[in-house]
DNA sequence: AAGCTCCCCAACCGCGACGAC
DNA sequence: TGTCGTCGCGGTTGGGGAGCT
């Protein structure tokens, strides 16, 4: 469609990754880490740009990824976080262990968005669609568009209101899709009359620099099935959590990664968000 | 069975942020 | 302080599978 290639180098491969490329990339990263994505393809023997390698790793090959559809509880968290953060997918993903921003973004656009519209909720403002059309002047945040999602935190905060959270949750409560427990568990405290998100525990949690501990109350429904302990034990044992799409990883010992201490080191570091 | 349409999601692109110099 | 290189984010695209006619 006339787009400029992201890499000006000729001979850079694009398109779907082959199993062999995946193997090379994961072999290299598990062995050396990724100190500089620009250098990774060259050192790993790949005809890809660094950007493509980073994307492939973070969105697909990372061992701590969950696969499969988002659960109802995860979906509810995404909705809650989106109501507060807007389209800041990386921030949302950071609070969902094992999920990537790309995955959440895709799920939002293909499933949640439609679901909310079907329920009569504006997926941008999280307010009932009829309310938005009937009194636009009273809801300043209702005019926020997708273009504004890359704006400052201030703009994002303007987009939300406790009222909008209630609107979403009220309708979701009538829906058969989310379970009652998930709806109740993932409480943001937004049903109060307070207009300050500083008092909202979820917002406080969102603003924290530290990665999630798994103890967050709104994560009760779906954390625990992940991942540090699981991967530590997995690394020491023969089983791996990947699905069929990455079955070849079951043979990772074959390309010289049988050293469990190495894999352990990777897992521990990655769980802390550190780079090897 | 063949053709068509719709939908999903992996991958790409552009751009802003950030650090090094 | 300005420039350059790199990284990461969010928006978008398009290939391919699923479903329908």
């Amino acid at each position: 469609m006339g787009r400029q290639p992201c890499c000006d180098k000729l001979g850079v491969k694009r398109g779907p990754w082959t199993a062999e490329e995946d193997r090379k990339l994961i072999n290299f990263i598990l062995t050396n880490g990724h100190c500089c994505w620009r250098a990774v393809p060259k050192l790993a023997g790949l005809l890809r740009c660094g950007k493509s390698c980073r994307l492939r790793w973070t969105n697909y090959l990372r061992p701590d990824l969950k696969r499969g559809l988002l659960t109802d509880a995860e979906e509810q968290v995404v909705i809650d976080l989106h109501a507060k953060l807007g389209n800041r997918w990386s921030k949302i993903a950071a609070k969902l262990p094992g999920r990537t921003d790309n995955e959440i973004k895709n799920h939002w656009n293909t499933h949640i968005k439609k679901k909310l519209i079907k329920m009569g909720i504006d997926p941008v403002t999280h307010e009932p669609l009829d309310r938005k059309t009937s009194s636009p002047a009273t809801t300043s945040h209702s005019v926020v568009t997708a273009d504004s999602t890359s704006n400052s935190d201030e703009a994002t905060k303007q987009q939300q209101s406790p009222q909008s959270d209630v609107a979403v949750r009220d309708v979701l409560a009538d829906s058969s899709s989310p379970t009652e427990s998930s709806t109740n568990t993932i409480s943001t405290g937004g049903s109060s009359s307070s207009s300050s998100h500083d008092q909202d525990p979820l917002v406080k949690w969102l603003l924290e620099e530290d990665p999630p501990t798994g103890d967050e109350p709104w994560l009760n429904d779906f954390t625990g099935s992940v991942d540090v302990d699981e991967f530590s034990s997995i690394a020491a044992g023969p089983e791996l959590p990947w699905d069929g799409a990455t079955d070849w990883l079951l043979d990772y010992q074959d390309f010289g990664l049988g050293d469990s201490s190495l894999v352990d080191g990777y897992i521990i570091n990655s769980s802390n968000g550190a780079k090897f």
Side-chain angles (χ1 to χ4, degrees), chain A residues 22 55-71 74 97-100 102-103 106 225-227 230-231 240-247 249:
Chain A
D22 284 346
L55 231 40
R56 182 64 177 172
W57 174 257
T58 56
N59 288 337
Y60 201 81
L61 296 177
R62 245 173 49 200
D64 57 337
L65 287 180
K66 274 187 192 177
R67 307 301 302 177
L69 286 173
L70 272 69
T71 65
E74 285 175 312
R99 300 297 188 182
T100 70
N102 205 37
E103 187 178 15
N106 282 334
S225 60
V226 203
D227 60 355
E230 180 184 352
F231 271 87
L240 289 168
W242 297 292
D243 59 18
T246 50
D247 278 349
L249 290 169

Side-chain angles (χ1 to χ4, degrees), chain A residues 3-275:
Chain A
R3 279 186 167 180
Q4 300 289 326
C6 68
C7 300
D8 48 8
K9 286 181 184 176
L10 293 175
V12 173
K13 190 171 181 291
R14 298 169 58 202
W17 281 64
T18 65
E20 179 61 26
E21 288 175 312
D22 284 346
R23 202 184 308 257
K24 283 182 179 177
L25 180 59
I26 199 165
N27 185 6
F28 177 82
I29 291 178
L30 289 183
T31 306
N32 304 294
H34 52 79
C35 57
C36 173
W37 281 113
R38 191 89 169 175
V40 164
K42 202 172 188 177
L43 297 172
L46 292 163
L47 296 174
R48 297 271 181 176
C49 68
K51 211 172 185 178
S52 181
C53 292
R54 179 176 57 80
L55 231 40
R56 182 64 177 172
W57 174 257
T58 56
N59 288 337
Y60 201 81
L61 296 177
R62 245 173 49 200
D64 57 337
L65 287 180
K66 274 187 192 177
R67 307 301 302 177
L69 286 173
L70 272 69
T71 65
D72 288 345
E74 285 175 312
E75 211 168 83
Q76 184 59 49
V77 170
V78 171
I79 292 170
D80 280 344
L81 296 183
H82 187 273
K84 298 187 178 303
L85 297 170
N87 293 2
R88 295 160 78 185
W89 306 115
S90 63
K91 297 287 181 190
I92 296 173
K95 302 301 180 184
L96 291 171
R99 300 297 188 182
T100 70
D101 56 349
N102 205 37
E103 187 178 15
I104 291 170
K105 181 171 58 181
N106 282 334
H107 191 77
W108 176 270
N109 287 328
T110 58
H111 293 103
I112 301 176
K113 209 169 171 181
K114 289 173 187 172
K115 195 181 283 186
L116 291 180
I117 290 171
K118 201 173 179 180
M119 292 172 180
I121 297 169
D122 188 325
V124 176
T125 65
H126 292 255
E127 290 208 358
L129 287 167
D130 54 352
R131 182 190 303 178
K132 182 187 174 184
T133 55
S134 63
S135 58
T138 61
T139 54
S140 60
H141 51 276
S142 67
V143 298
V144 174
T145 65
D147 291 337
S148 69
T149 55
S150 60
N151 289 349
S152 65
D153 289 354
E154 208 54 42
T156 305
K157 283 177 184 173
Q158 279 190 336
Q159 179 181 345
Q160 294 104 28
S161 70
Q163 194 181 23
S164 66
D165 290 346
V166 173
V168 172
R169 202 163 285 110
D170 284 349
V171 179
L172 285 174
D174 295 335
S175 160
S176 59
S177 177
T179 63
E180 188 178 5
S181 63
S182 67
T183 306
N184 292 336
T185 302
I186 308 161
S187 168
T188 65
S191 60
S192 73
S193 60
S194 170
S195 62
S196 169
H197 282 127
D198 292 342
Q199 297 176 12
D200 187 328
L202 176 55
V203 173
K204 283 183 181 177
W205 172 61
L206 290 170
L207 295 176
E208 287 173 0
E209 292 298 324
D210 295 337
T213 63
D215 295 334
E216 291 76 11
W218 36 82
L219 294 176
N220 284 351
D221 282 1
F222 60 93
T223 54
S225 60
V226 203
D227 60 355
V228 176
D229 291 340
E230 180 184 352
F231 271 87
S232 296
S233 61
I234 285 165
E239 295 183 6
L240 289 168
W242 297 292
D243 59 18
T246 50
D247 278 349
W248 61 268
L249 290 169
L250 292 167
D251 299 328
Y252 71 98
Q253 291 93 339
D254 292 346
F255 47 89
L257 296 174
D259 183 351
S260 62
S261 63
L262 168 67
V263 179
D264 275 339
Y266 159 72
I267 288 162
I268 292 168
N269 287 332
S270 68
S271 71
N272 290 332
K275 290 183 180 177

